[in-house]
Amino acid sequence: MKPILKLVAVFFAAIFAGCNAQQVFAQESSSSSDQKNILFIAVDDLKPLLSNYGESQMVTPNFDRLAKMGVTFTNAHVQYAVCGPSRASVMTGTNPDRTKVWDLHTDFRESAPDLVSMPEYLISQGYATTAVGKIYHKGSSAPGHDGKSWSIDYTLPDNYPEAYGEPLFSYYQDPENKMKYEAILKEAEAKGIKRNGKLRNFAFKKFKPSTEGADVPDNAYQDGLYTQTALAKINQLEEGDKPWFLGVGFQKPHLPFVAPKKYWDLYDRDEIELAAFQQLSEGTPEFAFHSFGELRAFSDINNKLRQGDVLPEEKQRELIHGYMACISYIDAQLGKLLDELDARKITDDTVIVLWGDHGFHLGDHTEWCKHSNFEQATRIPFMFAGPGVQKDKMESTPVNLVDLFPTVFELAGVQQSTQTDGKSLAPLLDEDPQTQIGVDYAYFQYRRGNRMGYGIRTDRYRYTEWLGDNWRSTQTYDADLIQGRELYDYKLDPLETKNFAKDDAYKAVMKDLRERLLSHLANGKK
């Protein structure tokens, strides 16, 4: 293309992208005294390993407290089980094939420039918006942690207590670990390695522990400092004259599992239950599994382990102990946020939503981390509280994370955006809902090479089809591209030990589930 023609093409593309954005904002921009504040709590890598989800071994009293304040969804699922795509999806209210974010590197502002973020939309509706911590994936968001989302600057604080200083590489506070790193960094300097990225890579190849439990206060690690900053932001927002949206993004329980010692002390490692099923599922395509490369990147994990290999029991216990300690650490931060709302007497005027960006494997199917279409990777905690929400209710209807903003908008008195793919769950937040939400399944997807696995989760079943040739739901469906199918029956096989897709006894079930999946995929072309 000639340079002048290329410039013209870019010009018109920008105009059309702007027109699309204007259509989203076309709903009358306004603010109302009836609009409610929104506290938006994102927790990285959090599966429903919580006492309010029936996990009695967990010490999470503030999750119990939030559950009593509102509704807990017990069958909620993300649209893509890794943080970049999952967060781009929820923050735009659209599915991954619309954001075109299927990895940890793509910024939706570049892949789908016609989309706006939901906090950006809230600004047009009269809100003050700001955030602290991890809301978007840090490696794939626009400058300012997606600066268009915030009317008040986003904050990533670094004012750690002087007695402890900043955690090394944002993670480590244990003095012994810091001494080891100091020696490694001196070695790097002697080799002429000076750039931060190269220093980090050099150090991590030498030493990168997967867990730590230093005897330090909460704000010596990241999430305690995020909470401290969030409390200051609430004060700032309350001094203004607009309804507000505050995003608080906690990093834990993401690897490495680091948390103050007092949270590790809540659990007896010898009493920790390991995953009951530590094998590959019978009849499941090998490409549905992975070899947990994220975990193997740590220096205390055997990097030679591969798909189907089982970690030593001692290391499994240490990792699960660390994951549990991190959850209790986050529970304490949640309590501080709820205390602040109560102290200011604004709890009843604040819509609260808490969510995990995906689940986490802890040894089941020999898997660790996320990166799959299995139950442990897609299922998340999803909780609402505030005006219009029934108190102390458990709701088992299958729902999607992409339903978050339509639900929050209805609860907060905000006009709905025309952009969103999700649906409002407000009808399910009543004590005795009279209105249905239209579908009875959640949906998800995950990529393996040139295959994309699309699936649905009902109250009993999980059905997935893997399609090759880089097929996406925006294209015409082609059954010839199917490279594998999975069907799990949670009534008879809650641990997903067997793929029933080729079992003749499930032919009618397969037909029904496939029709539902195709109905969902057809929406991708709209």
Side-chain angles (χ1 to χ4, degrees), residues 322-342:
Y323 189 84
M324 293 165 70
C326 286
I327 291 175
S328 289
Y329 174 41
I330 297 307
D331 178 84
Q333 310 317 305
L334 172 60
K336 294 172 186 177
L337 294 176
L338 298 179
D339 287 346
E340 183 70 12
L341 297 185
D342 286 348

Side-chain angles (χ1 to χ4, degrees), residues 147-323:
K148 288 183 179 179
S149 289
W150 319 121
S151 66
I152 299 172
D153 286 347
Y154 162 84
T155 305
L156 191 65
D158 59 4
N159 54 323
Y160 291 94
E162 188 175 343
Y164 303 98
E166 186 172 348
L168 204 57
F169 302 116
S170 302
Y171 303 143
Y172 305 110
Q173 280 288 19
D174 188 294
E176 191 172 313
N177 286 340
K178 283 188 168 183
M179 285 179 62
K180 288 181 181 179
Y181 273 121
E182 186 177 339
I184 292 170
L185 293 176
K186 284 182 179 178
E187 180 184 350
E189 187 178 344
K191 292 178 180 290
I193 301 171
K194 295 181 180 179
R195 292 180 60 182
N196 287 338
K198 290 187 176 181
L199 278 172
R200 182 186 179 97
N201 291 339
F202 180 84
F204 279 172
K205 284 179 181 178
K206 297 273 187 177
F207 182 61
K208 187 183 180 184
S210 59
T211 67
E212 182 187 274
D215 192 2
V216 296
D218 286 6
N219 63 346
Y221 286 119
Q222 279 184 324
D223 289 317
L225 190 57
Y226 290 173
T227 303
Q228 185 176 300
T229 306
L231 299 181
K233 281 187 173 290
I234 291 175
N235 183 68
Q236 179 185 13
L237 291 164
E238 280 293 287
E239 289 178 347
D241 59 359
K242 293 182 177 183
W244 51 259
F245 171 95
L246 172 61
V248 183
F250 292 121
Q251 299 273 171
K252 298 302 143 188
H254 194 289
L255 280 164
F257 300 144
V258 301
K261 178 180 178 295
K262 62 185 175 183
Y263 300 108
W264 289 78
D265 291 345
L266 295 173
Y267 303 99
D268 182 344
R269 187 174 298 184
D270 293 335
E271 297 296 321
I272 289 173
E273 295 181 10
L274 305 183
F277 181 70
Q278 298 195 37
Q279 303 172 46
L280 302 182
S281 307
E282 178 186 342
T284 298
E286 285 191 7
F287 53 73
F289 303 97
H290 63 85
S291 57
F292 49 92
E294 179 184 3
L295 179 63
R296 288 188 290 103
F298 289 86
S299 59
D300 53 344
I301 306 296
N302 182 358
N303 195 33
K304 294 181 180 180
L305 294 173
R306 288 298 181 266
Q307 185 183 99
D309 291 337
V310 178
L311 285 181
E313 180 176 327
E314 182 179 355
K315 180 55 70 174
Q316 288 192 48
R317 290 189 181 281
E318 177 190 340
L319 290 169
I320 297 173
H321 189 180
Y323 189 84

Side-chain angles (χ1 to χ4, degrees), residues 18 58 113 124 128 133 198 282 325 347 361 506:
M58 295 302 298
S124 78
K198 290 187 176 181
E282 178 186 342
T347 305
H361 292 283
Y506 286 88

Side-chain angles (χ1 to χ4, degrees), residues 14 45 112 130 170 175 182 190 207 312 391 408 451 519 524:
D45 285 24
T130 188
S170 302
E182 186 177 339
F207 182 61
K391 296 184 185 302
V408 165
R451 306 179 185 94
S519 175

Side-chain angles (χ1 to χ4, degrees), residues 91-110:
M91 295 305 293
T92 59
T94 62
N95 294 327
D97 286 356
R98 278 187 70 192
T99 66
K100 298 181 177 63
V101 177
W102 305 295
D103 57 33
L104 296 176
H105 312 293
T106 303
D107 176 5
F108 82 88
R109 298 286 184 184
E110 298 177 359

Side-chain angles (χ1 to χ4, degrees), residues 12 26-27 142-143 230 248 302 322 344-345 350 472 476 500:
F12 279 106
Q27 298 102 326
V248 183
N302 182 358
R344 291 179 174 274
K345 295 181 170 45
T350 304
R472 296 293 183 269
T476 300
F500 292 101

